[in-house]
Amino acid sequence: MTFADAPVPHQRSRLRAACRSPWMLLVLLIFAAAGGFFLLTRPRLRFANRLAAPVRLVFGDDASRTLAPGETITLSNARGRTVVAEWQMIRPLSADSQPMGEVIRGAVVLRGTRGIVVETADSRAGGTDYFAPLITNASSQPLRVMVNAGLEGAVDCGCAVRSGATRVFIGYYRLFRNSTVLARDSAGGRATFQDLGPQVLRADGTLGLRFEDKDLRNRRTAPVATAPGAALPPARRPG
């Protein structure tokens, strides 16, 4: 005989399981918290492309990846491992497949400590400022463009911007307080934007410039920029 209120064997097993459940739940929560802490504190690189052109990023031994303008990516690193992340802007190509503008690149070392390292590809790299002229050709002829004409470090884009083209990206170039952009046509007409440093205000360093027939025909100099901006060193003139 048994007492009516005595637990039968299968009831006792359920009671033991119920007693163990809170402890098992606590253990699971501890493991979950430890795993979350490990993932959140794992060394990571947060890389953002703030340029107006794509950027090629190489992270350690990983295959290179391409980031579009405005794109951000987060990459994880193993604890105790030192990784070098290198990036370089992909320069636009001229009609004869030659890269236009100057090379912009950078690198950052990610050490195996916890936390996030932030790196940005922008118009200031290696302590040098750059800008990207966006050429609108409102004239009736193709235009050849030279950046920083008359200054040390003048660079011909090696391109011809066709008539009617709007905001053509011809690459990045060094930016000085007295930077210039010269456009000339096949008839000998030319027009120059001067002292562009204070006018470059966008974070990506782009600056729209418009050339018309009246500027080239009269060989006039385009208006000098007067907008306030960051102080930049002037470039020396050759000679």
Side-chain angles (χ1 to χ4, degrees):
M1 293 187 300
T2 60
F3 292 101
D5 56 353
V8 294
H10 69 276
Q11 289 176 323
R12 286 197 295 268
S13 64
R14 284 202 299 268
L15 287 173
R16 286 195 297 269
C19 292
R20 289 197 302 267
S21 294
W23 292 105
M24 293 178 64
L25 180 60
L26 179 60
V27 170
L28 290 175
L29 289 175
I30 292 174
F31 274 105
F37 177 80
F38 178 82
L39 291 176
L40 290 175
T41 59
R42 189 177 182 182
R44 289 174 291 169
L45 170 68
R46 182 173 296 159
F47 183 87
N49 179 13
R50 299 288 180 256
L51 293 170
V55 165
R56 183 175 293 110
L57 174 66
V58 178
F59 184 70
D61 297 327
D62 294 354
S64 65
R65 43 175 62 84
T66 300
L67 278 71
E71 185 176 354
T72 299
I73 190 172
T74 300
L75 302 170
S76 297
N77 183 29
R79 290 178 180 274
R81 176 183 173 221
T82 299
V83 172
V84 177
E86 299 177 286
W87 62 268
Q88 181 170 317
M89 188 195 78
I90 300 175
R91 292 188 288 170
L93 300 179
S94 64
D96 56 356
S97 300
Q98 295 301 310
M100 296 186 290
E102 302 192 48
V103 175
I104 300 182
R105 59 162 63 100
V108 61
V109 178
L110 187 67
R111 306 191 186 279
T113 55
R114 68 184 185 183
I116 298 177
V117 174
V118 178
E119 174 74 357
T120 302
D122 56 27
S123 57
R124 182 173 178 81
T128 301
D129 291 288
Y130 295 88
F131 78 115
L134 303 179
I135 307 299
T136 294
N137 182 2
S139 75
S140 56
Q141 299 186 56
L143 296 177
R144 301 280 300 187
V145 178
M146 177 175 286
V147 181
N148 289 324
L151 306 175
E152 286 189 352
V155 179
D156 192 315
C157 76
C159 61
V161 181
R162 62 178 177 80
S163 176
T166 302
R167 296 178 69 82
V168 176
F169 175 62
I170 60 171
Y172 277 84
Y173 302 83
R174 293 177 186 270
L175 178 64
F176 306 98
R177 187 170 62 244
N178 56 343
S179 280
T180 65
V181 173
L182 163 70
R184 61 185 187 276
D185 60 23
S186 58
R190 59 178 57 200
T192 306
F193 279 92
Q194 296 179 336
D195 298 324
L196 293 176
Q199 195 170 354
V200 180
L201 302 176
R202 293 177 58 89
D204 61 3
T206 56
L207 177 65
L209 301 174
R210 178 184 176 90
F211 294 93
E212 302 180 10
D213 274 330
K214 62 181 181 180
D215 303 316
L216 298 160
R217 184 167 55 249
N218 297 326
R219 302 189 181 186
R220 294 169 52 190
T221 297
V224 175
T226 57
L232 296 166
R236 292 181 298 172
R237 299 183 182 277

